[in-house]
Amino acid sequence: MQPDFFSGRTEAVDTSAIPEAKNWAARAAWLKSELNRHSHAYYVLDNPTIPDAEYDRLFRELVEIEQLHPDLLTSDSPTQRVGGKPLPQFEQVRHSMPMLSLNNAFDETDIAGFDRRAREVLQAAADIEYSTELKFDGLAISLRYEEGVLVQAATRGDGTTGENVTANVRTVRAIPLRLHVQHAPKVLEVRGEILMYKSDFAKLNARQRDADQKEFANPRNAAAGSLRQLDPRITAQRTLRFFAYGIGVLEGAEMPPSHEALLEWYASLGLPVCQERLVVKGAQGLLDFYQGIGEKRKALPYDIDGVVYKVNRLELQQKLGFVSRAPRFAVAHKFPAEEAMTVVQGIAVQVGRTGAITPVARLAPIFVGGVTVTNATLHNEDEVNRKDIQIGDTVIVRRAGDVIPEVVAYVPELRPATARKFLMPDACPICDSPIVRLEDEAIARCSGGWIKCPAQRKGGLLHFVSRRAMDIEGLGEQLVDQLVDKHVITTAADLYKLGLSALSELDRMATKSAQNVLNALEKSKSTTLARFIYALGIRHVGEATAKELASHFGSLDAVLDASEEQLLEVADIGPVVAHSIRVFLSDPMNVELIAQLRAAGVNWPESAPVENQPKPLQDKTFVLTGTLPTLTRDAAAELIETAGGKVAGSVSKKTSYVVAGEEAGSKLAKAQELGVTILDEAGLFQLLDRK
């Protein structure tokens, strides 16, 4: 069947009447333009310009042209939004600029403090101008456009490294595949949020019910689950939306002077921006916006969990800078969490990986904030007594921060005569070791430790294998439970002693699955010092502190030998953290664990202390692609950054080197096209003067 490009008919026509090739190209270009225009009107402006049937007709016509003339098929064609073949896995993408989180504020005092600190740093005599916008309850995303064409989309991930979800994002019709501008920037990285409207969520769950499939708990879960499908065709069947709210990288264009000007520029490029925003002055202007949005929150077509305030002028944002993992020039003002009433049917205790004993209320199921809640934290024994929560009470349950369920208070007039007080047990419910509580701590702890307490062992092992620690795929909660319950392993070092037969004998572990776990364990042996320190599970040592320790000392031995006084010299480490590190590293069991892990082959690149480190790669930009023989991408990136270099997510003319391993893809081809120097792992070591 050949299309009639002039009458709009799709029935068979006389092929002798088909226009010449130049007309095919012109018609295809016109169809792309029209379809993109109508799609933008429908998904972004909420103002449909043609009936669905007419849109479908134009779409089918373009499909047929591209089938007849594959050379007219381009990556920004509307036909490329339907999704391609399933992906084996998501490639990791290192962000050119980190995707930072925001600090939270919950009341007027927090907002007054945010405004006061900004005025003090900027030495502002008058009220500061702020841009205010919504805090969407979705999934953060980074979109990279080169010469106006969408070339990459990545999730936030850990802020430094995310997942390449380009194939799926191409199916999101609210996102332009090509910017609506004649002279596009050379590079533009747009930061924003993928979300699902409430109405689209209801339709999706209706389809799930009709297909006898599991329903999604809330629009955010639905959006995240849809975007992370390995089969883009599934993503294409779900209606996702997008709002732009920030910028990562801009090359080949002048940066707008303010955040509001940036959003207006985005709108002119065809990028969706939310209209629920204002430019205000001073703390009172912020609070007025917060109150106004709060009043219309339930009527909005999408879920939000607060609003965001940003100093409007970008030059002032730069002066304010950042603290740890968050900017000083912005803050998220969260709405009070949603609340509901239910009955406490019992109070149990859970044992965490550090032995922390947490009372947990077992609740009659209640729907709160979009999910069914059956358990809620009571934090600690003091909190239970302070709130006077008893078994049998009717209580108010809140999803704190719209995420973690907690018991706020009980309802006195509904307390039954049979209500019973909670008593903290004397012994751990898992290992029967004594529960102890230090005088200066609110948390009671199991004294059994890893060796005696399976709960602590499981928690510690799950932390050790987690993505941000040793990143060992396949070792999930069910497998770790079996390994501990069947006494196969006791410490993290035992993981590296596992054999194929021992794993294959476990439930739901076929030989292939067992081999995959062994492969993941072997791969995890090459890591970074920061990841290894974090994986140890030292109390009070999170990812940021682990990175500071690795950067400051350069080697694990230097960390092991450091005194509390020397630890206090590390950025962001205070007396409590320094003491915790020293206590952990003075424990013979922990020292032995570290020695066993090193003996098992766990290794990382080490360097000189930060003040003595040479910077041979200063001002050089690297791109990593493919699988290197001995280094993971994170390990290679850490080496490069320690030596003063920068690691970017994509190749451009400004790229100094591309480090390529096995199965290098389009980045290698782009480097060859641009004449960028290509290195293998040995070449990188040579630059670093390592052998």
Side-chain angles (χ1 to χ4, degrees):
M1 183 174 71
Q2 303 287 1
D4 182 340
F5 299 128
F6 300 104
S7 68
R9 297 194 309 271
T10 56
E11 65 270 16
V13 296
D14 182 1
T15 57
S16 63
I18 296 175
E20 296 179 2
K22 61 181 181 181
N23 290 334
W24 291 68
R27 181 66 176 178
W30 180 84
L31 284 167
K32 292 175 186 177
S33 175
E34 283 295 286
L35 288 167
N36 283 332
R37 182 172 68 86
H38 295 311
S39 187
H40 183 263
Y42 183 91
Y43 289 100
V44 180
L45 304 181
D46 238 354
N47 183 29
T49 47
I50 59 173
D52 289 349
E54 178 64 11
Y55 181 94
D56 293 341
R57 187 190 66 76
L58 296 175
F59 187 90
R60 288 194 302 271
E61 184 179 338
L62 180 58
V63 168
E64 292 182 5
I65 292 177
E66 292 174 344
Q67 289 174 345
L68 288 169
H69 291 273
D71 58 306
L72 298 179
L73 175 61
T74 57
S75 63
D76 62 331
S77 172
T79 63
Q80 298 308 291
R81 293 189 183 276
V82 297
K85 63 181 181 180
L87 306 171
Q89 61 185 21
F90 291 116
E91 177 191 6
Q92 297 295 296
V93 174
R94 192 172 180 85
H95 299 302
S96 301
M97 293 286 289
M99 295 183 69
L100 302 176
S101 55
L102 296 177
N103 286 326
N104 292 327
F106 295 95
D107 54 35
E108 294 186 11
T109 303
D110 293 338
I111 299 307
F114 165 70
D115 177 60
R116 183 188 68 253
R117 289 188 295 272
R119 285 187 287 107
E120 288 173 351
V121 173
L122 297 175
Q123 298 180 339
D127 284 342
I128 293 175
E129 186 177 79
Y130 294 102
S131 177
T132 61
E133 56 195 21
L134 305 185
K135 185 177 185 301
F136 304 106
D137 197 10
L139 189 71
I141 201 83
S142 178
L143 308 177
R144 184 178 178 91
Y145 289 87
E146 294 181 1
E147 307 295 349
V149 177
L150 179 67
V151 297
Q152 182 176 278
T155 61
R156 179 183 182 276
D158 62 5
T160 302
T161 304
E163 293 176 320
N164 188 338
V165 290
T166 309
N168 290 351
V169 164
R170 287 185 184 279
T171 71
V172 180
R173 297 182 184 273
I175 296 175
L177 300 178
R178 178 182 288 275
L179 299 176
H180 301 180
V181 63
Q182 188 170 4
H183 301 291
K186 182 179 178 181
V187 177
L188 172 62
E189 283 191 6
V190 180
R191 302 287 165 79
E193 196 95 354
I194 296 282
L195 64 155
M196 183 175 285
Y197 278 21
K198 296 174 185 175
S199 58
D200 296 323
F201 172 69
K203 293 175 184 176
L204 173 60
N205 267 351
R207 293 199 301 271
Q208 295 292 104
R209 284 193 299 273
D210 291 343
D212 198 24
Q213 295 180 354
K214 183 179 178 181
E215 295 181 43
F216 290 94
N218 52 53
R220 186 192 186 284
N221 286 354
S226 299
L227 194 66
R228 298 193 72 255
Q229 291 288 330
L230 290 176
D231 188 345
R233 291 170 295 187
I234 297 177
T235 310
Q237 295 168 6
R238 299 174 182 176
T239 307
L240 298 177
R241 313 281 180 144
F242 171 76
F243 283 124
Y245 56 60
I247 190 166
V249 175
L250 177 62
E251 297 177 13
E254 185 177 348
M255 183 72 76
S258 68
H259 183 71
E260 176 61 20
L262 172 68
L263 297 183
E264 291 176 352
W265 181 50
Y266 278 168
S268 73
L269 298 178
L271 290 161
V273 293
C274 183
Q275 298 305 310
E276 297 288 348
R277 66 182 198 274
L278 285 175
V279 174
V280 303
K281 288 189 175 182
Q284 190 56 51
L286 300 177
L287 295 173
D288 289 345
F289 177 77
Y290 176 83
Q291 181 178 354
I293 293 298
E295 292 172 354
K296 63 168 66 174
R297 180 185 180 189
K298 290 189 181 299
L300 293 173
Y302 37 72
D303 284 341
I304 61 173
D305 55 7
V307 297
V308 174
Y309 309 137
K310 298 175 183 175
V311 172
N312 193 32
R313 303 291 299 181
L314 299 191
E315 61 180 325
L316 299 184
Q317 290 187 7
Q318 292 179 351
K319 288 182 180 179
L320 285 164
F322 302 84
V323 55
S324 184
R325 298 174 66 87
R328 287 193 179 95
F329 56 80
V331 70
H333 191 173
K334 304 293 286 291
F335 286 124
E338 295 189 34
E339 299 177 344
M341 287 200 309
T342 188
V343 174
V344 177
Q345 297 178 328
I347 298 178
V349 294
Q350 290 182 343
V351 186
R353 67 178 177 85
T354 63
I357 303 293
T358 304
V360 176
R362 306 302 190 196
L363 307 171
I366 186 70
F367 196 71
V368 186
V371 299
T372 299
V373 172
T374 56
N375 300 308
T377 181
L378 292 166
H379 299 293
N380 54 60
E381 185 180 15
D382 287 349
E383 192 73 354
V384 178
N385 293 333
R386 185 182 68 80
K387 293 179 178 178
D388 190 20
I389 306 297
Q390 298 186 19
I391 300 167
D393 274 341
T394 295
V395 294
I396 299 170
V397 177
R398 175 173 64 192
R399 292 187 65 214
D402 284 352
V403 177
I404 304 170
E406 68 171 345
V407 174
V408 179
Y410 81 100
V411 183
E413 58 269 27
L414 296 180
R415 171 169 284 175
T418 55
R420 309 189 315 275
K421 288 200 170 193
F422 165 74
L423 295 176
M424 177 65 76
D426 296 324
C428 173
I430 306 299
C431 70
D432 208 34
S433 296
I435 290 177
V436 297
R437 178 175 168 184
L438 300 178
E439 290 184 7
D440 58 345
E441 290 193 357
I443 302 294
R445 297 182 187 277
C446 165
S447 61
W450 264 47
I451 300 299
K452 293 184 66 175
C453 185
Q456 291 185 60
R457 200 176 311 149
K458 291 175 182 177
L461 287 167
L462 285 170
H463 174 79
F464 183 85
V465 305
S466 64
R467 178 182 170 191
R468 297 181 181 182
M470 297 301 288
D471 192 19
I472 305 173
E473 292 185 17
L475 272 169
E477 187 172 351
Q478 291 184 347
L479 184 54
V480 168
D481 282 350
Q482 288 191 71
L483 290 170
V484 172
D485 293 341
K486 296 183 178 182
H487 307 290
V488 179
I489 60 174
T490 302
T491 72
D494 294 336
L495 290 170
Y496 295 97
K497 302 173 186 176
L498 289 171
L500 188 62
S501 59
L503 279 172
S504 300
E505 291 173 0
L506 299 175
D507 296 342
R508 299 182 182 179
M509 284 297 289
T511 302
K512 183 178 179 180
S513 300
Q515 187 60 56
N516 288 340
V517 171
L518 293 178
N519 293 343
L521 281 163
E522 187 63 30
K523 180 181 177 183
S524 74
K525 290 181 180 179
S526 295
T527 184
T528 68
L529 178 55
R531 279 179 175 266
F532 182 78
I533 293 172
Y534 176 62
L536 292 174
I538 305 171
R539 284 186 64 198
H540 307 305
V541 176
E543 285 181 88
T545 303
K547 287 180 180 179
E548 292 290 351
L549 284 165
S551 175
H552 184 89
F553 290 104
S555 71
L556 181 61
D557 288 335
V559 177
L560 293 173
D561 295 338
S563 64
E564 283 193 38
E565 290 72 20
Q566 291 171 316
L567 289 168
L568 286 169
E569 296 174 3
V570 180
D572 295 332
I573 288 185
V576 173
V577 179
H579 180 69
S580 178
I581 295 170
R582 195 61 262 151
V583 167
F584 182 93
L585 297 178
S586 299
D587 187 326
M589 289 176 56
N590 295 328
V591 174
E592 176 62 23
L593 171 65
I594 291 170
Q596 288 186 17
L597 287 167
R598 296 174 95 169
V602 178
N603 67 93
W604 50 84
E606 295 195 333
S607 57
V610 66
E611 66 271 14
N612 299 328
Q613 290 172 12
K615 302 293 182 184
L617 306 184
Q618 191 75 43
D619 301 325
K620 302 293 184 183
T621 300
F622 290 73
V623 172
L624 303 170
T625 182
T627 304
L628 300 178
T630 66
L631 294 175
T632 64
R633 287 199 189 184
D634 283 338
E638 185 171 285
L639 276 176
I640 292 167
E641 291 170 347
T642 301
K646 175 186 174 184
V647 178
S650 61
V651 181
S652 71
K653 290 181 180 178
K654 292 186 177 181
T655 304
S656 308
Y657 300 96
V658 167
V659 182
E662 290 185 11
E663 299 181 7
S666 59
K667 294 176 183 177
L668 177 59
K670 184 73 176 288
Q672 292 168 334
E673 178 187 333
L674 296 177
V676 175
T677 302
I678 299 168
L679 303 174
D680 57 11
E681 186 180 276
L684 174 62
F685 284 158
Q686 188 174 0
L687 278 183
L688 294 164
D689 197 23
R690 291 180 80 244
K691 298 189 177 180

